[in-house]
Amino acid sequence: MGSACKPGKVYIVGAGPGDPELITVKGLRLVREADVIFYDRLIPQEVLREAKPSAKLVFVGKAPGKHTYTQDEINRMLVEEACKGKTVVRLKGGDPYVFGRGEEECMYVLEHGVPCEVVPGVTSAIAGPAYAGIPVTHRGIASSFAVVTGREALEKGRRMVNYGAIAKAVDTLVILMGVSNLENIVREILDAGVDPETPVAIVERATMPEQRVVVGNLANIVEKARKAGVKPPAVVVVGKVVRLRDKLWKFA
Ligand code: SAH
């Protein structure tokens, strides 16, 4: 913090997975109070309409034809605005600390002497399956679940996620950012010896009006996803809980 900084505060806010009503009460209050809002692509636009008319809204997500900010630029802008004494909201899809880089931003802000607070959000990892009639746990069927990123598959030199080992160790595996690498991930899980009949669901644009669900098993889900033309954002769920959809999803 330079001597010119009169810090307001930065709030790293989860906007929820898409349904505008899935933002928290605290998150919505801060959106209404914010002087500046830096927002991503996957946040519900209805939430932005709640901002004060005088609020400055800055899109910092990635979209075709729009200027893309680097993470460093975003970090710096958060500090810059807060140093003008402003209340700054950094609005992110789902939960800001689940593959959302919210923690990186908060660390940077704090390192620069500016107060920072996180407001957790409803993550697509749990809400996505739920809106498709799939609970991530169920008594007698699933006592554990794991959430992994799908962007760590075979072609990467540095491996952080061992999909096969995780799929064997937990009852429900939730994969975010898994669409483009689905084939590799599924192959790794099958190679680890997981039953090919294990049910799999893909929830595309979960909690949004355009939500779409593709259901299959480890043996056929890659083909089914290809045929359906599944596109991001989508949550992949692997495990027996997928079958509960038949009882929980009234509109099936
Ligand atoms: N912080 C976010 C996740 C960011 S990573 C959260 O907690 O939800 C981005 C990935 O999240 C997407 O590639 C997709 O896998 C998932 N995702 C986010 N919103 C989604 C939605 N509405 N429907 C399906 N998947 C979604």
Side-chain angles (χ1 to χ4, degrees), residues 129-142:
Y131 264 46
I134 303 164
V136 291
T137 69
H138 182 63
R139 200 151 48 95
I141 289 189

Side-chain angles (χ1 to χ4, degrees), residues 3 54 86 89 93 96 99 105 165 179 183 187 189 191 199 217:
S3 54
S54 61
K86 309 270 186 205
V89 162
F99 302 123
E105 296 175 4
V179 172
E183 193 168 353
R187 191 186 315 122
I189 294 173
D191 285 351
N217 57 34

Side-chain angles (χ1 to χ4, degrees), residues 123-131 133-139 141-147 170-175 235-242 244 248:
T123 180
S124 64
I126 295 171
Y131 264 46
I134 303 164
V136 291
T137 69
H138 182 63
R139 200 151 48 95
I141 289 189
S143 307
S144 59
F145 66 92
V147 179
V170 299
D171 297 319
T172 306
L173 181 61
V174 178
I175 306 159
V235 183
V236 181
V237 199
V238 182
K240 292 196 186 87
V241 286
V242 168
L244 296 170
L248 283 171

Side-chain angles (χ1 to χ4, degrees), residues 16-18 42 92-100 122-125 128 151 175-178 203-208 232-235:
L42 284 178
K92 289 172 169 286
D95 180 274
Y97 284 5
V98 177
F99 302 123
V122 172
T123 180
S124 64
R151 293 237 184 96
I175 306 159
L176 300 189
M177 299 174 276
V203 192
E204 187 188 73
R205 301 191 75 77
T207 82
M208 301 173 185
V235 183

Side-chain angles (χ1 to χ4, degrees), residues 96-222:
Y97 284 5
V98 177
F99 302 123
R101 293 185 151 203
E103 69 294 345
E104 287 177 35
E105 296 175 4
C106 209
M107 279 182 224
Y108 181 94
V109 167
L110 289 169
E111 276 165 15
H112 287 76
V114 173
C116 181
E117 188 178 331
V118 65
V119 180
V122 172
T123 180
S124 64
I126 295 171
Y131 264 46
I134 303 164
V136 291
T137 69
H138 182 63
R139 200 151 48 95
I141 289 189
S143 307
S144 59
F145 66 92
V147 179
V148 300
T149 169
R151 293 237 184 96
E152 299 277 352
L154 288 172
E155 62 270 23
K156 266 203 178 174
R158 188 180 60 105
R159 286 285 307 275
M160 292 186 69
V161 184
N162 184 334
Y163 297 100
I166 293 185
K168 285 177 86 171
V170 299
D171 297 319
T172 306
L173 181 61
V174 178
I175 306 159
L176 300 189
M177 299 174 276
V179 172
S180 56
N181 273 326
L182 190 63
E183 193 168 353
N184 287 334
I185 296 166
V186 166
R187 191 186 315 122
E188 286 189 36
I189 294 173
L190 287 171
D191 285 351
V194 176
D195 183 358
E197 304 273 308
T198 306
V200 183
I202 305 179
V203 192
E204 187 188 73
R205 301 191 75 77
T207 82
M208 301 173 185
E210 319 86 272
Q211 172 172 309
R212 190 161 68 123
V213 186
V214 176
V215 181
N217 57 34
L218 283 172
N220 64 24
I221 196 67
V222 172

